[in-house]
Amino acid sequence: MSHNLAAQFDGDLGAVLGSEADHETIAETFQRRTFRGREYFHFPDARHGIDRGVAIVGETVVPGFPSIPRTLVLDPGISGVFSGPIYIEEKLNGYNVRIARADGDLFAFTRSGYICPFTTHLVRTDPFEEFLAEFPELTICGELIGMNNPYTPHEYEDVDDVGIRVFDLRKNGTGTPLSPETRYERCAEYDLPEVPRFGTVDPAEAPERVATLIDDLNEREREGVMLKSADGETQLKYTTAATHQADLAHAFSQPFDYGREFLFSRLIREAFQAAERGESETERRERAQALGEAILLPAIEAVETVDAGERIGDEHTIRGDPTAIESLITQFLSQGLQLDIREDYYDDGDRVVTFCKVARSSQDKIEHYLAGGLIDQ
Ligand code: ATP
Ligand code: MG
């Protein structure tokens, strides 16, 4: 076991895991990486009772972000989970990032615990610096949103480029969240940008309130809501039809890169939502039509794109500090991603790169079938 990792098992990490845990086995699952010459470790999957994405930088144990359960029905899904007041926040559609201070510097981590050079550069500014200088024992959890992000570009009218919206503050080591009330106060005090929120509601009133909010969010093509208990420990998610359909459209633009479970789960969400809303014959037909279009149209387009000799995949444009962008691209390549660079130039000291993360399975399979390869079904 590396010296730095061993020290952590005697420190914070050991306290979180308890004495029964098999430290040797757990240590072997941690991946050793370097970021600008600094060694760190991360836990890429949830295993051995450890959350996915836990990272260790020097003395700091950055907690992983837990997987949040979803309800398919508002009633009685919500009252089955919450017994006291419920804090309602908007669920934004972006990429989960955690920001923590270690050895005097700020680092931003991806879901699986890599240090992201692009996001790290973005957060080494106020108010994040100021906040974590004051509360070095906390990890800020937020969603990276906006069109110019390297992970999940989705348009938000109030974000021109890229931005972070905070939805959680957790203690390093244990990952215990602060209560929503405390988080709102601290974020306001330090001007940390937050996710939009919709106040509190009692469990009995929640289904109706959430249904109304979801109608409005759906109209605006937003993702959904996150419901939270007063201590921040219990969370529940529920999403809009617009999101289920957009997820399907995206998956079917790269049909062989997404598991069948991805398709099935979105269909099931739609079925339960339509049934709970008691949709009329016309409404359910409209939903069915939209769903069918979301699936088939992008899939046809994918076949045509490959047939025209082009690459399919997710296109992203990022702009920023040249060193940060260079190291992000190097990191993507070292993770085995195939990038098709479509534009690369400098603008006012920033480097601007448009690249496509090639959807390799879809690309290869579509080429194969277009050439007459037979399908065994
Ligand atoms: P999983 O939660 O199973 O790992 P996932 O990353 O696809 O899968 P989502 O369905 O996107 O999960 O829902 C959980 C994510 O929603 C969180 O990890 C977080 O990044 C994001 N999120 C957006 N807005 C909020 C919010 N207000 N509160 C909490 N999480 C939010
Ligand atoms: Mg998400």
Side-chain angles (χ1 to χ4, degrees):
M1 204 189 292
S2 123
H3 170 71
N4 285 343
L5 202 52
Q8 272 309 331
F9 280 96
D10 296 331
D12 265 6
L13 193 63
V16 179
L17 295 173
S19 54
E20 266 106 90
D22 177 356
H23 291 181
E24 275 300 327
T25 312
I26 294 172
E28 279 164 19
T29 316
F30 271 96
Q31 305 281 310
R32 179 184 176 276
R33 310 265 173 211
T34 52
F35 177 77
R36 308 232 175 103
R38 181 195 302 256
E39 175 184 59
Y40 71 101
F41 298 88
H42 73 119
F43 206 75
D45 306 299
R47 262 199 268 170
H48 312 302
I50 297 192
D51 280 331
R52 173 179 170 216
V54 171
I56 298 173
V57 186
E59 305 275 284
T60 307
V61 176
V62 182
F65 193 81
S67 182
I68 297 176
R70 166 189 304 276
T71 186
L72 292 176
V73 290
L74 297 173
D75 189 10
I78 300 175
S79 60
V81 172
F82 294 96
S83 47
I86 301 169
Y87 289 72
I88 312 178
E89 294 175 7
E90 184 173 347
K91 179 180 194 313
L92 295 178
N93 186 358
Y95 193 80
N96 180 302
V97 292
R98 286 162 292 140
I99 308 156
R101 191 178 161 93
D103 290 346
D105 279 322
L106 259 53
F107 296 96
F109 301 84
T110 67
R111 198 71 200 274
S112 59
Y114 277 91
I115 293 177
C116 171
F118 178 83
T119 319
T120 295
H121 187 264
L122 208 67
V123 299
R124 286 186 174 177
T125 50
D126 285 335
F128 301 100
E129 288 279 10
E130 198 193 352
F131 184 85
L132 289 176
E134 191 62 34
F135 302 103
E137 74 287 3
L138 294 179
T139 288
I140 299 174
C141 308
E143 199 78 348
L144 183 70
I145 57 168
M147 286 306 283
N148 295 351
N149 98 62
Y151 302 106
T152 44
H154 179 86
E155 183 127 34
Y156 280 100
E157 70 255 342
D158 53 333
V159 184
D160 319 327
D161 179 28
V162 65
I164 292 175
R165 298 290 181 270
V166 176
F167 54 69
D168 228 333
L169 296 172
R170 291 182 176 251
K171 300 214 171 84
N172 292 340
T174 57
T176 307
L178 299 193
S179 68
E181 289 289 0
T182 311
R183 163 164 49 98
Y184 301 155
E185 274 166 30
R186 293 211 184 153
C187 286
E189 193 182 334
Y190 287 82
D191 273 335
L192 282 178
E194 299 172 77
V195 292
R197 55 178 190 255
F198 306 113
T200 57
V201 70
D202 287 325
E205 272 90 50
E208 207 183 310
R209 172 97 179 103
V210 173
T212 312
L213 288 169
I214 285 287
D215 280 345
D216 174 58
L217 291 167
N218 188 46
E219 285 283 308
R220 294 159 50 213
E221 305 200 335
R222 313 273 290 210
E223 188 175 12
V225 294
M226 249 338 154
L227 308 181
K228 302 183 180 184
S229 60
D231 64 3
E233 294 276 7
T234 307
Q235 306 199 20
L236 188 67
K237 64 192 179 197
Y238 187 79
T239 47
T240 61
T243 289
H244 308 151
Q245 293 167 13
D247 281 359
L248 288 170
H250 178 248
F252 276 82
S253 69
Q254 308 161 25
F256 298 103
D257 283 79
Y258 282 85
R260 316 243 152 149
E261 178 54 32
F262 189 94
L263 160 68
F264 183 71
S265 60
R266 270 67 185 178
L267 285 179
I268 291 300
R269 291 174 201 170
E270 285 287 273
F272 277 87
Q273 191 169 83
E276 184 171 32
R277 288 169 51 94
E279 289 184 352
S280 67
E281 191 61 28
T282 318
E283 283 171 320
R284 65 182 70 185
R285 283 200 173 275
E286 274 169 15
R287 191 188 283 262
Q289 169 121 16
L291 202 83
E293 289 184 0
I295 293 172
L296 195 56
L297 299 181
I300 298 173
E301 211 175 299
V303 175
E304 288 174 345
T305 305
V306 174
D307 199 25
E310 286 161 39
R311 310 279 187 106
I312 52 171
D314 287 331
E315 190 175 282
H316 306 264
T317 297
I318 49 174
R319 134 191 315 270
D321 173 62
T323 319
I325 296 221
E326 183 65 37
S327 86
L328 178 77
I329 290 175
T330 309
Q331 181 155 310
F332 279 165
L333 293 174
S334 76
Q335 289 168 353
L337 289 177
Q338 186 181 327
L339 302 182
D340 184 24
I341 307 283
R342 298 183 168 169
E343 243 187 311
D344 191 351
Y345 60 92
Y346 288 83
D347 177 34
D348 212 7
D350 280 344
R351 184 168 169 196
V352 185
V353 183
T354 298
F355 60 91
C356 170
K357 288 183 188 160
V358 179
R360 281 239 287 273
S361 299
S362 301
Q363 183 82 33
D364 294 351
K365 288 216 164 90
I366 293 174
E367 279 170 13
H368 175 71
Y369 295 132
L370 277 172
L374 301 182
I375 191 159
D376 189 19
Q377 314 176 323

